[in-house]
């Protein structure tokens, strides 16, 4: 008699509360279409989320045009907006073209204490 436990992960994603109206530049396609989202990955057994991978959700910039997702810790400009609220958006794109940083694959989830955001 065998039990097949279907283990996997489930990622909850939603707009970060209070930042629904914040739109930032996507560093992948260059459009101002990035939204600040929170992403929380859970370990699932039989599709039931049981254990969170981290104590708090990750904050990401998510683009609805090219479906690019970037951890907000790589976006100091966005963090500035989140801290100050009314920081002006930088004029020109700072994304270096040609420097493909390999965002195609998801990095493995960080085990242990996640970095603390303000
Ligand atoms: Zn994009």
């Amino acid at each position: 008699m065998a039990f097949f436990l279907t283990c996997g992960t489930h990622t909850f994603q939603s707009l970060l509360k209070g930042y629904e109206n914040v739109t930032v530049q996507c560093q992948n396609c260059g459009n101002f279409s990035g939204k600040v989202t929170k992403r929380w990955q859970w370990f699932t057994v039989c599709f039931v989320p049981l254990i969170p991978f981290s104590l708090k959700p990750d904050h990401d910039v998510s683009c609805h045009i090219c479906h690019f997702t970037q951890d907000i810790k790589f976006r100091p400009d966005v963090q500035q907006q989140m801290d100050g609220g009314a920081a002006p958006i930088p004029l020109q794109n700072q994304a270096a073209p040609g420097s493909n940083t390999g965002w195609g694959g998801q990095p493995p989830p960080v085990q242990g204490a996640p970095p603390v955001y303000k």
Side-chain angles (χ1 to χ4, degrees):
M1 198 159 164
F3 290 98
F4 289 99
L5 288 179
T6 310
C7 299
T9 60
H10 184 87
T11 303
F12 298 92
Q13 189 169 27
S14 61
L15 287 176
L16 187 61
K17 264 198 166 33
Y19 299 96
E20 292 92 341
N21 295 321
V22 174
T23 305
V24 298
Q25 186 179 28
C26 169
Q27 288 192 343
N28 190 49
C29 67
N31 290 298
F32 275 90
S33 52
K35 284 293 189 182
V36 181
T37 62
K38 65 178 178 187
R39 190 166 49 92
W40 206 351
Q41 196 172 38
W42 284 61
F43 180 74
T44 61
V45 176
C46 296
F47 306 107
V48 178
L50 288 183
I51 308 162
F53 269 105
S54 59
L55 294 176
K56 55 185 289 189
D58 289 326
H59 293 169
D60 291 318
V61 173
S62 187
C63 173
H64 68 90
I65 293 180
C66 65
H67 303 289
F68 178 73
T69 303
Q70 186 175 30
D71 198 305
I72 205 166
K73 68 185 171 196
F74 298 115
R75 295 298 304 267
D77 56 322
V78 177
Q79 294 179 50
Q80 208 174 30
Q81 281 194 54
M82 295 173 73
D83 286 342
I89 297 171
L91 283 181
Q92 289 307 318
N93 52 357
Q94 299 167 340
S99 68
N100 194 338
T101 47
W103 279 99
Q106 288 289 334
V110 177
Q111 304 286 342
V116 178
Y117 303 119
K118 270 196 261 185

Coordinates of all heavy atoms in Angstrom, one line a residue, residues 22-115:
V22 N 1.3 52.4 -6.9 CA 2.7 52.7 -7.3 C 3.1 51.9 -8.5 O 2.9 50.6 -8.5 CB 3.6 52.3 -6.1 CG1 5.1 52.4 -6.5 CG2 3.3 53.1 -4.9
T23 N 3.5 52.6 -9.5 CA 4.0 51.9 -10.7 C 5.4 52.3 -11.0 O 5.8 53.4 -10.9 CB 3.1 52.4 -11.9 OG1 1.7 52.1 -11.6 CG2 3.5 51.6 -13.2
V24 N 6.2 51.3 -11.2 CA 7.6 51.5 -11.4 C 8.1 50.9 -12.7 O 7.3 50.2 -13.4 CB 8.5 50.9 -10.3 CG1 8.1 51.5 -8.9 CG2 8.3 49.4 -10.2
Q25 N 9.3 51.3 -13.1 CA 9.7 50.8 -14.4 C 10.2 49.4 -14.3 O 10.9 49.0 -13.4 CB 10.9 51.7 -14.9 CG 11.3 51.4 -16.3 CD 12.5 52.3 -16.8 OE1 13.2 52.8 -15.9 NE2 12.5 52.5 -18.0
C26 N 9.8 48.6 -15.3 CA 10.3 47.3 -15.4 C 11.7 47.3 -16.1 O 11.9 47.9 -17.1 CB 9.3 46.5 -16.3 SG 10.0 44.9 -16.8
Q27 N 12.6 46.6 -15.4 CA 14.0 46.7 -15.9 C 14.2 45.6 -17.0 O 15.3 45.5 -17.5 CB 15.0 46.4 -14.8 CG 15.0 47.7 -13.9 CD 16.2 47.6 -12.9 OE1 16.8 46.5 -12.7 NE2 16.6 48.7 -12.3
N28 N 13.2 44.9 -17.3 CA 13.3 43.9 -18.4 C 12.8 44.5 -19.7 O 13.6 44.4 -20.7 CB 12.5 42.7 -18.0 CG 12.9 41.5 -19.0 OD1 14.0 41.2 -19.3 ND2 11.8 40.9 -19.5
C29 N 11.6 45.1 -19.7 CA 11.1 45.6 -21.0 C 11.1 47.1 -21.1 O 10.9 47.7 -22.1 CB 9.7 45.0 -21.2 SG 8.4 45.7 -20.1
G30 N 11.4 47.7 -19.9 CA 11.5 49.2 -19.9 C 10.2 50.0 -19.8 O 10.2 51.2 -19.7
N31 N 9.1 49.3 -19.7 CA 7.9 49.9 -19.6 C 7.6 50.3 -18.1 O 8.1 49.6 -17.2 CB 6.7 49.1 -20.1 CG 6.7 48.9 -21.6 OD1 6.6 49.8 -22.3 ND2 6.9 47.6 -22.0
F32 N 6.8 51.4 -17.9 CA 6.4 51.7 -16.6 C 5.2 50.8 -16.3 O 4.1 51.3 -16.3 CB 6.2 53.2 -16.4 CG 7.4 53.9 -16.1 CD1 8.2 54.4 -17.1 CD2 7.8 54.1 -14.8 CE1 9.3 55.1 -16.9 CE2 9.0 54.8 -14.5 CZ 9.7 55.3 -15.6
S33 N 5.4 49.6 -16.1 CA 4.3 48.7 -15.9 C 4.6 47.7 -14.7 O 3.9 46.8 -14.5 CB 4.1 47.8 -17.1 OG 5.4 47.2 -17.5
G34 N 5.6 48.1 -13.9 CA 5.9 47.2 -12.8 C 5.1 47.6 -11.6 O 4.8 48.7 -11.3
K35 N 4.6 46.6 -10.9 CA 3.7 46.7 -9.8 C 4.5 46.1 -8.6 O 5.1 45.0 -8.7 CB 2.4 46.1 -9.9 CG 1.4 46.9 -10.8 CD 1.1 48.2 -10.1 CE 0.0 48.9 -10.9 NZ -0.3 50.2 -10.2
V36 N 4.3 46.7 -7.4 CA 4.9 46.1 -6.2 C 4.0 45.0 -5.7 O 2.9 45.3 -5.3 CB 5.2 47.2 -5.2 CG1 5.9 46.6 -4.0 CG2 6.0 48.3 -5.8
T37 N 4.5 43.9 -5.7 CA 3.7 42.7 -5.2 C 4.4 42.1 -4.0 O 5.6 42.2 -3.8 CB 3.5 41.7 -6.3 OG1 4.8 41.2 -6.7 CG2 2.8 42.3 -7.5
K38 N 3.7 41.3 -3.3 CA 4.3 40.5 -2.3 C 4.1 39.0 -2.7 O 3.1 38.7 -3.3 CB 3.7 40.7 -0.9 CG 2.2 40.3 -0.8 CD 1.7 40.6 0.6 CE 0.2 40.3 0.7 NZ -0.3 40.6 2.1
R39 N 5.1 38.3 -2.5 CA 5.1 36.9 -3.0 C 5.5 36.0 -1.8 O 6.5 36.3 -1.1 CB 6.1 36.8 -4.1 CG 6.0 35.5 -4.9 CD 6.8 35.6 -6.2 NE 8.1 36.2 -6.0 CZ 9.2 35.4 -5.8 NH1 9.1 34.2 -5.7 NH2 10.3 36.0 -5.6
W40 N 4.7 35.0 -1.5 CA 5.0 34.2 -0.4 C 4.9 32.8 -0.8 O 3.9 32.3 -1.3 CB 3.9 34.5 0.7 CG 4.4 34.2 2.1 CD1 5.6 33.6 2.4 CD2 3.8 34.5 3.3 NE1 5.7 33.5 3.8 CE2 4.6 34.1 4.4 CE3 2.6 35.2 3.6 CZ2 4.2 34.3 5.7 CZ3 2.2 35.4 4.9 CH2 3.0 34.9 6.0
Q41 N 6.0 32.1 -0.7 CA 6.1 30.7 -1.2 C 5.9 29.8 0.0 O 6.5 29.9 1.0 CB 7.5 30.5 -1.8 CG 7.5 29.2 -2.7 CD 8.8 29.1 -3.5 OE1 9.8 29.5 -3.0 NE2 8.7 28.7 -4.7
W42 N 5.0 28.8 -0.3 CA 4.7 27.8 0.8 C 5.0 26.4 0.2 O 4.9 26.1 -0.9 CB 3.2 27.9 1.1 CG 2.8 29.0 2.0 CD1 3.0 30.3 1.7 CD2 2.3 29.0 3.3 NE1 2.6 31.1 2.7 CE2 2.1 30.3 3.7 CE3 1.9 27.9 4.1 CZ2 1.6 30.6 5.0 CZ3 1.4 28.2 5.4 CH2 1.2 29.6 5.8
F43 N 5.4 25.6 1.2 CA 5.6 24.2 0.9 C 4.2 23.5 1.0 O 3.5 23.7 2.0 CB 6.6 23.6 1.9 CG 6.9 22.2 1.7 CD1 7.6 21.7 0.7 CD2 6.3 21.2 2.6 CE1 7.9 20.4 0.5 CE2 6.6 19.9 2.4 CZ 7.4 19.5 1.4
T44 N 3.9 22.7 0.0 CA 2.6 22.1 -0.1 C 2.7 20.6 0.0 O 3.7 20.0 -0.6 CB 1.8 22.5 -1.3 OG1 2.5 22.1 -2.5 CG2 1.6 24.0 -1.4
V45 N 1.8 20.0 0.6 CA 1.6 18.6 0.6 C 0.2 18.3 0.1 O -0.8 18.8 0.6 CB 1.8 17.9 1.9 CG1 1.5 16.4 1.9 CG2 3.2 18.2 2.4
C46 N 0.1 17.6 -1.0 CA -1.2 17.3 -1.6 C -1.9 18.6 -1.9 O -3.1 18.8 -1.7 CB -2.1 16.4 -0.8 SG -1.5 14.8 -0.6
F47 N -1.2 19.6 -2.4 CA -1.7 20.9 -2.8 C -2.2 21.7 -1.7 O -2.9 22.7 -1.9 CB -2.7 20.7 -3.9 CG -2.3 19.9 -5.1 CD1 -2.7 18.6 -5.3 CD2 -1.3 20.4 -6.0 CE1 -2.3 17.9 -6.3 CE2 -0.9 19.7 -7.0 CZ -1.3 18.4 -7.2
V48 N -2.0 21.3 -0.5 CA -2.4 22.1 0.7 C -1.2 22.8 1.2 O -0.2 22.2 1.7 CB -3.0 21.2 1.8 CG1 -3.4 22.1 3.0 CG2 -4.2 20.5 1.2
P49 N -1.2 24.1 1.2 CA 0.0 24.8 1.8 C 0.1 24.6 3.3 O -0.8 24.8 4.0 CB -0.3 26.3 1.5 CG -1.4 26.3 0.4 CD -2.2 25.0 0.6
L50 N 1.2 24.1 3.7 CA 1.4 23.7 5.1 C 2.5 24.6 5.8 O 2.2 25.1 6.8 CB 1.9 22.3 5.2 CG 0.8 21.2 4.9 CD1 1.5 19.8 5.2 CD2 -0.4 21.4 5.8
I51 N 3.6 24.8 5.1 CA 4.7 25.4 5.8 C 5.2 26.6 4.9 O 5.5 26.3 3.7 CB 5.9 24.4 6.0 CG1 5.4 23.2 6.7 CG2 7.0 25.1 6.8 CD1 6.3 22.0 6.6
P52 N 5.3 27.7 5.4 CA 5.8 28.8 4.6 C 7.3 28.7 4.6 O 8.0 28.3 5.5 CB 5.4 30.1 5.4 CG 5.3 29.6 6.8 CD 4.8 28.2 6.8
F53 N 7.9 29.0 3.4 CA 9.3 29.0 3.2 C 10.0 30.1 4.1 O 11.2 29.9 4.4 CB 9.7 29.1 1.8 CG 9.8 27.8 1.1 CD1 8.8 27.4 0.2 CD2 10.9 27.0 1.3 CE1 8.9 26.2 -0.4 CE2 11.0 25.8 0.6 CZ 9.9 25.4 -0.2
S54 N 9.3 31.1 4.3 CA 10.0 32.2 5.0 C 8.9 32.8 5.9 O 7.7 32.6 5.8 CB 10.6 33.3 4.1 OG 9.6 33.8 3.3
L55 N 9.3 33.6 6.9 CA 8.4 34.1 7.9 C 7.6 35.3 7.3 O 6.5 35.6 7.8 CB 9.2 34.6 9.1 CG 9.9 33.5 9.9 CD1 10.7 34.1 11.0 CD2 8.8 32.5 10.5
K56 N 8.1 35.9 6.3 CA 7.4 37.0 5.7 C 7.5 37.0 4.2 O 8.4 36.4 3.7 CB 7.9 38.3 6.3 CG 9.3 38.5 6.1 CD 9.8 39.8 6.8 CE 9.3 41.0 6.0 NZ 9.9 42.3 6.5
P57 N 6.5 37.5 3.5 CA 6.5 37.5 2.1 C 7.7 38.3 1.5 O 8.2 39.2 2.1 CB 5.2 38.1 1.7 CG 4.4 38.2 2.9 CD 5.3 38.2 4.1
D58 N 8.1 37.8 0.3 CA 9.1 38.6 -0.4 C 8.3 39.8 -1.1 O 7.2 39.6 -1.5 CB 9.7 37.8 -1.5 CG 10.7 36.7 -0.9 OD1 11.3 37.1 0.1 OD2 10.8 35.6 -1.5
H59 N 9.0 40.8 -1.3 CA 8.5 41.9 -2.0 C 9.1 42.0 -3.4 O 10.4 42.0 -3.5 CB 8.6 43.2 -1.3 CG 7.8 43.3 0.0 ND1 8.0 44.3 0.9 CD2 6.9 42.5 0.4 CE1 7.2 44.1 1.9 NE2 6.5 43.0 1.7
D60 N 8.3 42.0 -4.4 CA 8.8 42.0 -5.8 C 8.3 43.1 -6.6 O 7.2 43.7 -6.3 CB 8.4 40.6 -6.4 CG 9.1 39.5 -5.8 OD1 10.3 39.6 -5.6 OD2 8.5 38.5 -5.6
V61 N 8.9 43.3 -7.7 CA 8.4 44.2 -8.8 C 8.0 43.2 -9.9 O 8.8 42.4 -10.4 CB 9.4 45.2 -9.3 CG1 8.9 45.9 -10.5 CG2 9.8 46.2 -8.2
S62 N 6.7 43.3 -10.2 CA 6.1 42.3 -11.2 C 5.6 43.1 -12.4 O 4.8 44.1 -12.2 CB 5.0 41.6 -10.5 OG 4.6 40.5 -11.3
C63 N 6.0 42.7 -13.5 CA 5.6 43.4 -14.8 C 4.5 42.5 -15.5 O 4.7 41.4 -15.7 CB 6.8 43.6 -15.7 SG 6.3 44.2 -17.3
H64 N 3.4 43.2 -15.8 CA 2.3 42.4 -16.4 C 2.5 42.4 -17.9 O 1.7 41.7 -18.6 CB 1.0 43.1 -16.0 CG 0.7 44.4 -16.6 ND1 0.2 44.6 -17.9 CD2 1.1 45.7 -16.2 CE1 0.1 45.9 -18.1 NE2 0.7 46.6 -17.1
I65 N 3.5 43.1 -18.4 CA 3.6 43.0 -19.9 C 4.6 41.9 -20.3 O 4.2 41.1 -21.1 CB 4.2 44.4 -20.4 CG1 3.1 45.5 -20.2 CG2 4.6 44.3 -21.9 CD1 3.6 46.8 -20.7
C66 N 5.7 41.8 -19.6 CA 6.6 40.7 -20.0 C 6.7 39.7 -18.9 O 7.4 38.7 -19.0 CB 8.0 41.3 -20.3 SG 8.8 42.0 -18.8
H67 N 5.9 39.8 -17.9 CA 5.8 38.8 -16.8 C 7.2 38.7 -16.1 O 7.5 37.5 -15.8 CB 5.3 37.5 -17.3 CG 3.9 37.7 -17.9 ND1 2.8 37.9 -17.2 CD2 3.5 37.6 -19.2 CE1 1.7 38.0 -18.0 NE2 2.2 37.8 -19.2
F68 N 7.9 39.7 -16.0 CA 9.2 39.7 -15.4 C 9.0 40.0 -13.9 O 8.2 40.9 -13.5 CB 10.0 40.8 -16.0 CG 11.4 41.0 -15.5 CD1 12.4 40.0 -15.7 CD2 11.7 42.1 -14.7 CE1 13.7 40.2 -15.2 CE2 13.0 42.2 -14.2 CZ 14.0 41.3 -14.4
T69 N 9.7 39.3 -13.1 CA 9.6 39.5 -11.6 C 11.0 39.7 -11.1 O 11.9 38.9 -11.4 CB 8.9 38.3 -10.9 OG1 7.6 38.1 -11.5 CG2 8.7 38.6 -9.5
Q70 N 11.1 40.7 -10.3 CA 12.4 41.1 -9.8 C 12.3 41.4 -8.3 O 11.4 42.1 -7.9 CB 12.9 42.3 -10.5 CG 14.4 42.7 -10.2 CD 14.9 43.8 -11.0 OE1 14.1 44.7 -11.4 NE2 16.2 43.8 -11.2
D71 N 13.2 40.8 -7.5 CA 13.1 41.1 -6.1 C 13.4 42.5 -5.8 O 14.2 43.1 -6.4 CB 14.2 40.2 -5.4 CG 13.9 40.1 -3.9 OD1 13.8 41.1 -3.3 OD2 13.9 38.9 -3.4
I72 N 12.6 43.0 -4.9 CA 12.7 44.5 -4.7 C 14.0 44.9 -4.1 O 14.3 46.1 -4.1 CB 11.5 44.9 -3.8 CG1 11.1 46.4 -4.1 CG2 11.7 44.7 -2.3 CD1 9.8 46.8 -3.5
K73 N 14.7 44.0 -3.5 CA 16.0 44.3 -2.9 C 17.0 44.7 -4.0 O 18.0 45.4 -3.7 CB 16.6 43.2 -2.1 CG 17.0 42.0 -2.9 CD 17.5 40.9 -1.9 CE 17.7 39.6 -2.6 NZ 17.7 38.5 -1.7
F74 N 16.7 44.4 -5.3 CA 17.5 44.9 -6.4 C 17.0 46.2 -7.0 O 17.5 46.6 -8.0 CB 17.6 43.8 -7.5 CG 18.2 42.5 -7.0 CD1 17.4 41.4 -7.0 CD2 19.5 42.5 -6.6 CE1 18.0 40.2 -6.6 CE2 20.1 41.3 -6.2 CZ 19.3 40.1 -6.1
R75 N 16.0 46.7 -6.3 CA 15.4 48.0 -6.9 C 15.4 49.1 -5.8 O 14.4 49.3 -5.2 CB 14.0 47.7 -7.3 CG 13.9 46.8 -8.5 CD 14.6 47.3 -9.7 NE 14.1 48.6 -10.1 CZ 13.1 48.8 -11.0 NH1 12.5 47.7 -11.6 NH2 12.7 50.0 -11.3
P76 N 16.6 49.6 -5.6 CA 16.7 50.7 -4.6 C 15.8 51.9 -4.9 O 15.3 52.6 -4.0 CB 18.2 51.1 -4.6 CG 18.7 50.6 -5.8 CD 17.9 49.4 -6.2
D77 N 15.5 52.1 -6.2 CA 14.6 53.2 -6.5 C 13.2 52.9 -6.0 O 12.5 53.9 -5.6 CB 14.6 53.4 -8.0 CG 14.3 52.2 -8.8 OD1 14.7 51.1 -8.4 OD2 13.5 52.3 -9.8
V78 N 12.8 51.7 -6.1 CA 11.5 51.4 -5.6 C 11.4 51.4 -4.1 O 10.4 52.0 -3.5 CB 11.1 50.0 -6.1 CG1 9.7 49.6 -5.6 CG2 11.1 49.9 -7.6
Q79 N 12.4 51.0 -3.5 CA 12.5 51.0 -2.0 C 12.4 52.5 -1.5 O 11.8 52.8 -0.5 CB 13.7 50.4 -1.5 CG 13.7 48.9 -1.7 CD 15.0 48.2 -1.2 OE1 15.3 48.4 -0.1 NE2 15.6 47.4 -2.0
Q80 N 13.1 53.3 -2.3 CA 13.1 54.8 -2.0 C 11.6 55.3 -2.1 O 11.2 56.0 -1.2 CB 13.9 55.5 -3.0 CG 14.6 56.8 -2.5 CD 15.5 57.3 -3.5 OE1 15.4 57.2 -4.7 NE2 16.6 58.0 -3.0
Q81 N 10.9 54.9 -3.1 CA 9.5 55.3 -3.2 C 8.7 54.8 -2.0 O 7.8 55.5 -1.5 CB 8.9 54.8 -4.5 CG 9.3 55.6 -5.7 CD 8.4 55.2 -6.9 OE1 7.2 55.3 -6.8 NE2 9.0 54.8 -8.0
M82 N 9.0 53.6 -1.6 CA 8.2 53.0 -0.6 C 8.5 53.7 0.8 O 7.7 53.8 1.6 CB 8.5 51.5 -0.5 CG 8.1 50.7 -1.7 SD 8.6 49.0 -1.7 CE 7.5 48.3 -0.4
D83 N 9.8 54.1 0.9 CA 10.2 54.7 2.2 C 9.6 56.2 2.2 O 9.0 56.6 3.1 CB 11.7 54.7 2.3 CG 12.2 53.4 2.7 OD1 11.4 52.6 3.2 OD2 13.4 53.1 2.6
G84 N 10.0 56.9 1.2 CA 9.7 58.3 1.2 C 8.3 58.6 0.7 O 7.7 59.6 1.1
G85 N 7.8 57.8 -0.2 CA 6.4 58.0 -0.7 C 6.4 58.8 -1.9 O 5.9 58.4 -2.9
A86 N 7.0 60.0 -1.9 CA 6.8 60.9 -3.0 C 8.2 61.2 -3.7 O 8.4 62.3 -4.2 CB 6.3 62.3 -2.5
A87 N 9.0 60.2 -3.7 CA 10.3 60.4 -4.4 C 10.1 60.4 -5.9 O 9.2 59.7 -6.4 CB 11.2 59.3 -4.0
P88 N 10.7 61.4 -6.5 CA 10.5 61.4 -8.0 C 11.1 60.2 -8.7 O 12.1 59.6 -8.2 CB 11.3 62.7 -8.4 CG 12.3 62.9 -7.3 CD 11.7 62.3 -6.0
I89 N 10.4 59.9 -9.8 CA 10.9 58.7 -10.5 C 12.1 59.1 -11.3 O 12.1 60.2 -12.0 CB 9.8 58.2 -11.5 CG1 8.6 57.7 -10.6 CG2 10.3 57.1 -12.4 CD1 7.4 57.4 -11.4
P90 N 13.2 58.3 -11.3 CA 14.4 58.7 -12.1 C 14.0 58.7 -13.6 O 13.2 58.0 -14.1 CB 15.3 57.5 -11.8 CG 14.8 56.9 -10.6 CD 13.4 57.2 -10.5
L91 N 14.6 59.7 -14.3 CA 14.2 60.0 -15.6 C 14.5 58.9 -16.6 O 13.6 58.4 -17.3 CB 14.8 61.3 -16.1 CG 14.2 62.6 -15.5 CD1 14.8 63.8 -16.0 CD2 12.7 62.6 -15.8
Q92 N 15.7 58.5 -16.7 CA 16.1 57.6 -17.7 C 16.3 56.2 -17.1 O 16.5 56.0 -16.0 CB 17.4 58.1 -18.4 CG 17.2 59.3 -19.2 CD 16.1 59.1 -20.3 OE1 16.0 58.1 -20.9 NE2 15.2 60.1 -20.4
N93 N 16.2 55.3 -18.0 CA 16.3 53.9 -17.6 C 17.8 53.6 -17.2 O 18.7 54.0 -17.9 CB 15.9 52.9 -18.7 CG 16.5 53.2 -20.0 OD1 17.3 54.2 -20.1 ND2 16.3 52.4 -21.0
Q94 N 17.9 53.0 -16.1 CA 19.2 52.6 -15.6 C 19.6 51.2 -15.9 O 20.7 50.7 -15.5 CB 19.3 52.9 -14.1 CG 19.0 54.3 -13.7 CD 18.7 54.4 -12.2 OE1 18.4 53.5 -11.5 NE2 18.9 55.6 -11.7
A95 N 18.7 50.5 -16.5 CA 19.0 49.1 -16.9 C 20.1 49.1 -17.9 O 20.0 49.7 -19.0 CB 17.7 48.4 -17.4
A96 N 21.1 48.4 -17.7 CA 22.2 48.2 -18.6 C 21.8 47.2 -19.7 O 21.6 46.0 -19.4 CB 23.4 47.8 -17.9
P97 N 21.6 47.7 -20.9 CA 21.2 46.7 -21.9 C 22.4 45.7 -22.2 O 23.5 46.1 -22.1 CB 20.9 47.6 -23.2 CG 21.7 48.8 -22.9 CD 21.8 49.0 -21.4
G98 N 22.0 44.5 -22.5 CA 23.0 43.5 -22.8 C 23.5 42.8 -21.6 O 24.0 41.7 -21.8
S99 N 23.2 43.3 -20.4 CA 23.7 42.6 -19.3 C 22.5 41.7 -18.8 O 21.8 42.0 -17.9 CB 24.1 43.5 -18.2 OG 22.9 44.2 -17.7
N100 N 22.4 40.6 -19.5 CA 21.4 39.6 -19.1 C 21.8 38.9 -17.9 O 22.8 38.2 -17.9 CB 21.2 38.6 -20.3 CG 19.9 37.9 -20.1 OD1 19.4 37.8 -19.0 ND2 19.3 37.4 -21.2
T101 N 21.1 39.2 -16.8 CA 21.5 38.6 -15.5 C 20.9 37.2 -15.3 O 21.0 36.7 -14.1 CB 21.1 39.6 -14.4 OG1 19.8 40.0 -14.6 CG2 22.0 40.8 -14.4
G102 N 20.4 36.7 -16.3 CA 19.9 35.3 -16.1 C 18.6 35.2 -15.2 O 18.6 34.4 -14.3
W103 N 17.7 36.1 -15.5 CA 16.5 36.1 -14.7 C 15.5 35.0 -15.2 O 14.4 34.9 -14.7 CB 15.8 37.4 -14.7 CG 16.5 38.3 -13.8 CD1 17.4 39.3 -14.1 CD2 16.3 38.4 -12.3 NE1 17.8 39.9 -12.9 CE2 17.2 39.4 -11.9 CE3 15.5 37.7 -11.4 CZ2 17.3 39.7 -10.5 CZ3 15.6 38.0 -10.1 CH2 16.5 39.0 -9.6
G104 N 15.9 34.2 -16.1 CA 14.9 33.2 -16.6 C 14.6 32.2 -15.5 O 13.4 31.8 -15.5
G105 N 15.5 31.8 -14.7 CA 15.2 30.8 -13.7 C 15.0 31.4 -12.4 O 15.6 32.5 -12.1
Q106 N 14.2 30.8 -11.6 CA 14.0 31.3 -10.2 C 15.1 30.9 -9.4 O 15.5 29.7 -9.4 CB 12.7 30.8 -9.6 CG 11.4 31.4 -10.2 CD 11.2 32.9 -9.8 OE1 11.7 33.3 -8.8 NE2 10.6 33.6 -10.7
P107 N 15.7 31.8 -8.6 CA 16.7 31.3 -7.6 C 16.1 30.4 -6.5 O 14.9 30.5 -6.3 CB 17.2 32.6 -7.0 CG 16.1 33.6 -7.2 CD 15.4 33.2 -8.5
P108 N 16.8 29.6 -6.0 CA 16.3 28.7 -4.9 C 15.8 29.5 -3.7 O 16.4 30.6 -3.5 CB 17.4 27.8 -4.5 CG 18.6 28.5 -5.0 CD 18.2 29.3 -6.2
P109 N 14.7 29.1 -3.1 CA 14.3 29.9 -1.9 C 15.3 30.0 -0.8 O 16.0 29.0 -0.6 CB 13.0 29.1 -1.5 CG 13.2 27.8 -2.0 CD 14.0 27.9 -3.3
V110 N 15.4 31.1 -0.2 CA 16.4 31.3 0.8 C 15.9 30.6 2.1 O 14.8 30.9 2.6 CB 16.6 32.8 1.1 CG1 17.6 33.0 2.2 CG2 17.1 33.5 -0.2
Q111 N 16.7 29.7 2.6 CA 16.3 29.1 3.9 C 16.9 29.9 5.0 O 17.9 30.6 4.9 CB 16.9 27.7 3.9 CG 16.5 26.8 2.8 CD 15.1 26.3 2.9 OE1 14.5 26.4 4.0 NE2 14.5 25.9 1.8
G112 N 16.2 29.9 6.1 CA 16.7 30.6 7.3 C 16.1 32.0 7.3 O 15.1 32.3 6.7
A113 N 16.8 32.8 8.0 CA 16.3 34.2 8.2 C 16.4 35.0 6.9 O 17.5 35.1 6.3 CB 17.1 34.9 9.3
P114 N 15.3 35.5 6.4 CA 15.3 36.4 5.3 C 15.9 37.7 5.6 O 15.8 38.1 6.8 CB 13.9 36.4 4.9 CG 13.1 36.2 6.1 CD 14.0 35.3 7.0
P115 N 16.4 38.5 4.7 CA 16.8 39.8 5.0 C 15.6 40.7 5.4 O 14.5 40.5 4.9 CB 17.4 40.3 3.6 CG 16.8 39.4 2.6 CD 16.6 38.1 3.3

